Amino acid sequence: MGEVFERRALGGRNHLLEISLPKGDFKALGRFVRLRAWPRLGLGPGTLLDRPFSIHRAKPGLLTFLIREVGPGTKILTSLNKGDQVRVIGPLGQGLDDLEPNFLSQKWYLVAGGAGLGPMGSLVEALGPKAKLFYGERSGPDQVRLDYLKSWFKKSSQENIVATTEDGTGYGRPGLVTQPLIQSLALEKRAMIACGPKGLLAALAKIAQQNGLRYLALAEERMACGLGVCLSCSLPKLDGSNFRVCQDGPLVDGLSLDWESLRA
Ligand SMILES: Cc1cc2nc3c(=O)[nH]c(=O)nc-3n(C[C@H](O)[C@H](O)[C@H](O)COP(=O)(O)OP(=O)(O)OC[C@H]3O[C@@H](n4cnc5c(N)ncnc54)[C@H](O)[C@@H]3O)c2cc1C
Ligand code: FES
């Protein structure tokens, strides 16, 4: 069982939740945990199932999550206060250091759509100036505060943040996040890691294919059993097999998934 160390509002429906754990020196880098907390009076009946969240940052004895409120489970988690108890199961999944041993030695484009920003904190921390972050939202009120985003980077590499809002109402540029990414690719080809809605992950698969790039996706599917049994989190692969996000992921070779059948 963990205990809330701090919860901070970060703009829109986004919150930073820091949970202290009695023991554990965890690595983040794409891994996730399942969290469950119990509602305060007046917050409704709560949820029976744990909810999966990427580890945003990890320090010995302290895990941090970037959580967007979208429903009953996240409403409870984003209403917690210092000292509240949270059940933490994990860390789960394979990390970038498992799948990509040369991860730290190369430059990456990190692409986040909406709540897909969650796993990017630890990746930027590990890569430093080798990371260029593309962060897209629909609208300004959804954005995580810019001062928080800037705090991930040293002053000298803050130009490595490229933010967009589709409707042009936030900081950064108007339009889709893929537009400045394509412009950057014309100047410098890099491998990509992405997390966000399926439409974005599918569009990035096309861009990666056209440019001959390594492309890793952090898939976020709704989960039920979390044990690889119910297949509710499975995504179709081009070879006809299923990729179970809870057991095989969440990190996946983005070119191995059948994005077309997901769209259908
Ligand atoms: C491996 C993994 C890592 C994740 N990391 C983060 C993170 O770092 N930060 C964060 O804010 N969220 C993250 N999520 C998504 C998060 O788990 C869901 O938002 C949460 O479970 C919703 O619970 P709820 O009870 O609040 O809403 P629900 O009532 O369960 O859902 C509310 C709405 O959100 C949609 N939704 C629910 N789960 C998902 C999902 N997995 N993907 C896309 N849409 C979903 C539903 O379709 C519905 O429209 C992650 C999911 C996975 C699988
Ligand atoms: S949640 Fe049941 S198989 Fe993944």
Side-chain angles (χ1 to χ4, degrees):
M1 195 63 89
E3 193 175 291
V4 175
F5 180 72
E6 193 187 355
R7 179 182 56 82
R8 234 184 323 148
L10 278 186
R13 294 168 289 152
N14 306 297
H15 292 249
L16 200 70
L17 185 65
E18 289 190 308
I19 298 179
S20 59
L21 294 160
K23 59 180 175 176
D25 185 1
F26 301 130
K27 283 194 278 183
L29 297 180
R31 296 181 179 86
F32 72 105
V33 302
R34 285 163 39 210
L35 297 180
R36 185 171 175 204
W38 289 266
R40 290 172 186 286
L41 273 181
L43 272 187
T47 58
L48 283 176
L49 294 171
D50 307 309
R51 297 288 193 256
F53 295 93
S54 299
I55 303 174
H56 180 55
R57 292 275 173 96
K59 284 193 226 159
L62 195 69
L63 290 181
T64 306
F65 302 91
L66 186 57
I67 298 183
R68 175 167 302 190
E69 186 199 324
V70 295
T74 45
K75 186 175 178 65
I76 294 167
L77 289 164
T78 55
S79 311
L80 296 174
N81 293 322
K82 191 175 171 69
D84 284 342
Q85 302 283 300
V86 185
R87 187 168 75 180
V88 182
I89 300 175
L92 306 165
Q94 52 178 342
L96 267 157
D97 42 340
D98 293 328
L99 196 76
E100 196 78 8
N102 296 328
F103 165 61
L104 285 176
S105 62
Q106 52 179 319
K107 289 175 159 183
W108 291 86
Y109 289 137
L110 309 180
V111 189
L117 195 59
M120 299 301 171
S122 69
L123 303 189
V124 170
E125 187 175 48
L127 289 166
K130 290 198 208 101
K132 181 161 182 173
L133 176 69
F134 293 84
Y135 165 46
E137 291 282 6
R138 285 227 163 84
S139 193
D142 297 328
Q143 285 178 313
V144 165
R145 280 196 342 236
L146 181 58
D147 59 334
Y148 177 65
L149 214 53
K150 281 185 173 173
S151 73
W152 301 7
F153 290 83
K154 287 202 172 121
K155 253 208 160 95
S156 55
S157 47
Q158 283 176 355
E159 76 278 1
N160 285 347
I161 304 171
V162 182
T164 59
T165 49
E166 279 177 44
D167 63 4
T169 57
Y171 59 78
R173 310 181 196 185
L176 292 171
V177 72
T178 44
Q179 290 164 353
L181 173 72
I182 290 168
Q183 286 164 3
S184 280
L185 279 168
L187 300 173
E188 184 183 3
K189 300 247 189 288
R190 293 189 190 185
M192 302 194 294
I193 304 171
C195 187
K198 282 198 226 29
L200 172 63
L201 298 184
L204 293 172
K206 272 209 175 119
I207 292 172
Q209 228 157 15
Q210 284 158 359
N211 288 274
L213 305 175
R214 175 89 169 123
Y215 168 45
L216 299 173
L218 281 153
E220 294 195 347
E221 260 318 290
R222 296 198 77 165
M223 288 183 188
C225 73
L227 301 168
V229 179
C230 71
L231 296 187
S232 67
C233 69
S234 72
L235 297 171
K237 292 185 84 172
L238 286 168
D239 65 8
S241 65
N242 278 315
F243 178 84
R244 298 160 307 168
V245 175
C246 68
Q247 290 293 296
D248 311 321
L251 203 55
V252 61
D253 176 348
L255 296 181
S256 70
L257 296 179
D258 184 355
W259 296 109
E260 283 308 315
S261 81
L262 275 167
R263 234 193 269 261

